[in-house]
Amino acid sequence: MKRFVIVLTLVAIVALPFALRPKRVATARADDTLVIITPHNEAIRYEFGRGFAAWYQERTGRTVAIDWRIVGGTSDIARFLEGEYTAAFENYWTRTLRKPWSTAVQTGFQSARLAADAPGLVKEARAAFLASDVGCGIDLFFGGGTYDLDRQAQAGRLVDSGIVQAHPEWFSDAVIPRRFGGEDYRHPDGLWIGTVLSSYGILYNRDSYQRLGIEQAPSQWADLADPRLIGEVGLADPTKSGSVAKAFENIIQQKMQQHLHALERTAPELSGVDLETRAVSEGWLEGLRLLQLIGANARYFTDTSQKPPIDVAAGNCAAGLCIDFYGRQQHEAVRRRGESERVAYVTPAGGSVSSVDPMGLLRGAPNRAVAVAFMEFVLTMDGQKLWNFEPGTPGGPQRFPLRRLPVRRDFYAHDEWKAYRSDPNDSPFEQRDPLIYREAWTGRYFREMAFIVRIMCQDTHGELKQAWRAIIAAPEPAKSQALAVLHDLSAVDYAHTTTEIRRRLGSRNKVEEVRLARELGDRFRANYTRATAIAKGQVVNVVTGGNP
C-alpha cells in the first residue's frame, strides 16, 4: 500500500504541469493558419496575434490562427532553422534530385562564399537550394536584430516577400527610410524589413540615487562613471549579450564622432583621411577608458541583458545599461504598481543609434499569402500603433503596453496621437546631433571590442575595482597619476586591435585566444595593481610588460 501511494504521488507530480498548462487555440478551427518563429515576448505575441486576426478577417472575411514557435532567443532560432533546413534540403537533394550527400554539400549549400570556392557539386547544391521551395514548415521570422536576419538572408533561408514593390509609398525617407543614422532599415533586396526601433540607454532608480547623494539624474553615458556609483551599476557580459555589446559599441562610436567634430574645428590642416584616422584612434581609446570606469562601478557582469533592469527596478542596483524596451518595460511594471516616480529610463542624447527589429519571409513558407498579409499588417498604421499606444486607446493594444517605438517616421507626425501614446515625447527621427553609425570604424572589430571589454573590466574586475576605490580616495597628484596608469590601454589601442588582436582572435587554433586572454589579463592586472599602489602612496615597482 505504501509503495502504491508513492507511485501515485509521483504520477501526480509528473502530470500536474500538463494539467495546468494553458490550453492552446486549435488552429484547425480557423480558415487559415500562420506559423511564426520569434524571440518576442508573450505580450507582443498576444497583441499582434489578436490585432492581425481582426485586421485579416475584416479584409478577407476569413479567420486566421497563429501558431507561434518559441525555441528561445535569436541564437537558438538560428540553430533551429539551420538544422531544419539542412534536413529538408538533404531530403530534397538525395530523394528528389538523387544526388550524393556529403559534408561539403551540407556546408556549401548554406554559404555563398564557400560554394564559390568549392567543387562543381557544391556550387550546384547552392544553386539548387536558392532555386527551390524547400522549407521548414514555418512562414515568418519575426523579431531579432538585423545581424540575425542578415545571417538568415546570407544562408538563403529568406526570400523576397514583394512588399517593397507592392507598397512603394511606404519605403521613402518620409515613411520608412532605406537607412537612417548609418543603420539599415531594410535589406537591399527586400529579404527583411524593419518593424520597430531599438536603442540603448540607462535605467536608474531614483530612491537609490537619493540614498547615494546623487541629485542629478543621468543623461549621458559618462554619468555611469560617477565614483559614487561604485558597486551600483548592473552590466552584462558583452561576449554573451549582443545587445549590451552593441551598446558598448555605441559608446565608443559616440566618442569617435565627438573627436571628429572637435578636430574639424581645431585642426583644419588635417586632410579627410588623416582627420578620420586620428578621430577614430583617439575616440577608440576614450571610449574604452569610459567603459573601464563604468566597469569599475559594476556590481556584477551577468550572462543575460534582462537581469540589470530587473535589479534596478528592485533597488538591487542604482543604475543599469540596457536596451530601451527592457528599460521601459521595467518602468511600466513599477508604474502599474503605483510607484511611477521610483524608476526612470533615459537614452543619452547622441549616444545611441536606433536600429530595427526586422521580419522576413522564410523560404518554402507553407502559408505564404497569409504571411505576406501579416507583414503588411505590421507595417500599416494599425500595426504600428500597437507598439506605442496605451491599452484601451483607439487602435491601441488590448492588454499590454508594449513601450516600443514604431519604425514609420510618419507615425510621429500625428500630434493628435500623443494623448494615446505610452512615450509621447520620444521622437527618434528628430534628435539633435544624432549618433551616425559608421560600420567601417568598429563594425569589423565588434568581436574584438567585446573581447577587450570583457578582459579589461570583467575578468580583472577585482583588481580594477580595488584600484578605482583607491583612486577615488586619493589626494592629488597621486589621484591623477594613478588614473593615468589605470588608463594605460596601449596594448589594446586601435592599431593593435585591428591587426594583432584581430589576427590572434581569428586564429583557427583556439588556444591562441586563451593565450591572448591570459596575456591581456596579466597586463591589466599589473596596471591596476600599480595604480592602487600609486594612489595609496606606496612605492612599488610593477612591471607592466609589453604589447601582446
Side-chain angles (χ1 to χ4, degrees):
M1 182 65 182
K2 184 177 180 181
R3 182 178 298 175
F4 174 76
V5 171
I6 293 173
V7 172
L8 188 62
T9 302
L10 289 173
V11 170
I13 292 172
V14 172
L16 187 61
F18 295 94
L20 296 179
R21 67 181 177 182
K23 293 182 179 179
R24 294 184 64 185
V25 177
T27 57
R29 296 176 185 171
D31 298 321
D32 298 315
T33 301
L34 175 61
V35 185
I36 301 178
I37 194 164
T38 182
H40 280 320
N41 61 27
E42 181 183 358
I44 293 174
R45 298 196 303 269
Y46 173 82
E47 295 298 347
F48 275 90
R50 178 200 59 80
F52 174 63
W55 184 89
Y56 186 78
Q57 186 168 30
E58 181 181 340
R59 281 155 182 76
T60 67
R62 299 174 64 82
T63 58
V64 62
I66 298 181
D67 180 0
W68 298 100
R69 300 293 173 88
I70 312 302
V71 301
T74 51
S75 59
D76 301 304
I77 292 174
R79 286 191 293 269
F80 175 82
L81 291 177
E82 181 179 0
E84 292 296 302
Y85 273 100
T86 297
F89 184 68
E90 181 180 2
N91 182 65
Y92 174 74
W93 181 254
T94 58
R95 296 191 179 186
T96 303
L97 301 182
R98 299 188 178 278
K99 302 281 187 179
W101 188 255
S102 66
T103 302
V105 170
Q106 177 176 328
T107 305
F109 91 89
Q110 301 176 91
S111 170
R113 181 180 59 82
L114 292 177
D117 300 328
L121 195 63
V122 177
K123 291 182 181 179
E124 185 182 345
R126 175 69 175 176
F129 179 59
L130 296 181
S132 75
D133 203 29
V134 169
C136 64
I138 300 174
D139 301 303
L140 279 175
F141 189 159
F142 178 42
T146 56
Y147 173 78
D148 306 294
L149 273 290
D150 267 336
R151 288 181 62 194
Q152 298 303 321
Q154 291 162 10
R157 300 176 199 132
L158 298 182
V159 295
D160 184 8
S161 63
I163 285 182
V164 176
Q165 296 80 11
H167 296 279
E169 71 279 8
W170 290 348
F171 300 98
S172 67
D173 287 344
V175 185
I176 305 176
R178 168 71 183 82
R179 290 173 63 84
F180 186 81
E183 292 278 347
D184 288 330
Y185 278 21
R186 68 176 184 272
H187 189 273
D189 298 324
L191 301 185
W192 56 258
I193 298 169
T195 65
V196 66
L197 299 175
S198 296
S199 60
Y200 306 92
I202 302 167
L203 184 72
Y204 63 99
N205 189 305
R206 289 191 173 100
D207 290 348
S208 296
Y209 266 57
Q210 185 176 11
R211 168 176 57 83
L212 296 168
I214 304 175
E215 298 178 358
Q216 188 69 35
S219 61
Q220 290 294 331
W221 295 121
D223 293 330
L224 290 179
D226 189 321
R228 291 171 292 181
L229 286 174
I230 190 165
E232 294 280 355
V233 178
L235 295 176
D237 180 349
T239 63
K240 300 288 181 59
S241 169
S243 62
V244 167
K246 185 69 176 177
F248 288 170
E249 185 190 25
N250 280 194
I251 291 173
I252 293 173
Q253 285 248 345
Q254 184 184 30
K255 292 300 182 183
M256 291 175 168
Q257 183 168 297
Q258 288 172 347
H259 273 266
L260 182 65
H261 294 337
L263 288 171
E264 286 172 343
R265 295 191 302 270
T266 61
E269 72 281 1
L270 291 176
S271 67
V273 174
D274 291 339
L275 183 75
E276 184 173 352
T277 300
R278 182 173 162 184
V280 167
S281 179
E282 292 177 356
W284 171 267
L285 284 175
E286 188 175 346
L288 285 181
R289 285 169 181 147
L290 174 55
L291 290 173
Q292 187 182 47
L293 295 185
I294 295 174
N297 278 341
R299 183 181 181 88
Y300 54 68
F301 290 86
T302 178
D303 287 352
T304 171
S305 60
Q306 298 182 43
K307 178 176 170 57
I310 292 173
D311 282 349
V312 172
N316 295 326
C317 293
L321 185 151
C322 62
I323 199 165
D324 61 348
F325 55 90
Y326 285 167
R328 290 191 181 97
Q329 285 168 1
Q330 285 303 316
H331 173 263
E332 184 66 33
V334 172
R335 186 178 73 170
R336 290 169 76 88
R337 294 196 298 266
E339 308 171 74
S340 60
E341 297 304 317
R342 186 164 58 83
V343 171
Y345 171 82
V346 60
T347 295
S352 176
V353 295
S354 291
S355 54
V356 296
D357 282 10
M359 59 183 171
L361 181 67
L362 289 166
R363 181 176 299 278
N367 308 289
R368 180 185 174 105
V370 186
V372 172
F374 180 87
M375 296 177 75
E376 288 179 325
F377 166 70
V378 173
L379 295 177
T380 63
M381 282 300 188
D382 290 329
Q384 293 285 288
K385 289 176 182 178
L386 295 180
W387 291 120
N388 201 249
F389 270 28
E390 290 277 11
T393 57
Q398 186 178 77
R399 295 183 185 174
F400 304 103
L402 302 184
R403 302 294 300 272
R404 303 290 303 270
L405 298 182
V407 72
R408 286 186 60 150
R409 191 171 192 163
D410 52 344
F411 173 89
Y412 303 93
H414 291 268
D415 289 338
E416 70 275 16
W417 290 350
K418 284 189 173 183
Y420 305 146
R421 290 181 52 195
S422 300
D423 302 278
N425 298 319
D426 287 353
S427 184
F429 292 98
E430 304 301 328
Q431 295 184 46
R432 294 183 58 186
D433 193 22
L435 178 62
I436 307 299
Y437 179 73
R438 293 170 172 85
E439 184 178 7
W441 288 358
T442 56
R444 290 174 292 178
Y445 315 115
F446 189 80
R447 183 189 174 207
E448 289 78 8
M449 176 213 67
F451 175 82
I452 289 169
V453 174
R454 192 200 82 197
I455 304 299
M456 178 179 69
C457 298
Q458 181 176 341
D459 292 2
T460 57
H461 191 239
E463 294 84 357
L464 172 61
K465 196 170 183 178
Q466 183 181 34
W468 184 222
R469 286 190 185 279
I471 291 170
I472 293 169
E476 291 291 0
K479 182 189 291 287
S480 297
Q481 293 169 352
L483 190 61
V485 173
L486 186 86
H487 280 336
D488 175 14
L489 303 182
S490 56
V492 293
D493 63 16
Y494 194 74
H496 281 95
T497 299
T498 58
T499 54
E500 187 68 6
I501 293 177
R502 181 174 174 82
R503 179 187 66 78
R504 295 180 67 177
L505 278 185
S507 173
R508 293 184 179 181
N509 182 4
K510 295 304 177 184
V511 175
E512 189 64 23
E513 180 177 332
V514 176
R515 187 179 294 118
L516 176 61
R518 185 178 65 247
E519 292 174 14
L520 286 177
D522 290 345
R523 173 66 179 263
F524 282 120
R525 286 188 183 92
N527 282 358
Y528 299 159
T529 301
R530 186 180 176 201
T532 301
I534 294 172
K536 291 183 176 181
Q538 300 169 354
V539 181
V540 177
N541 183 20
V542 180
V543 178
T544 60
N547 292 323

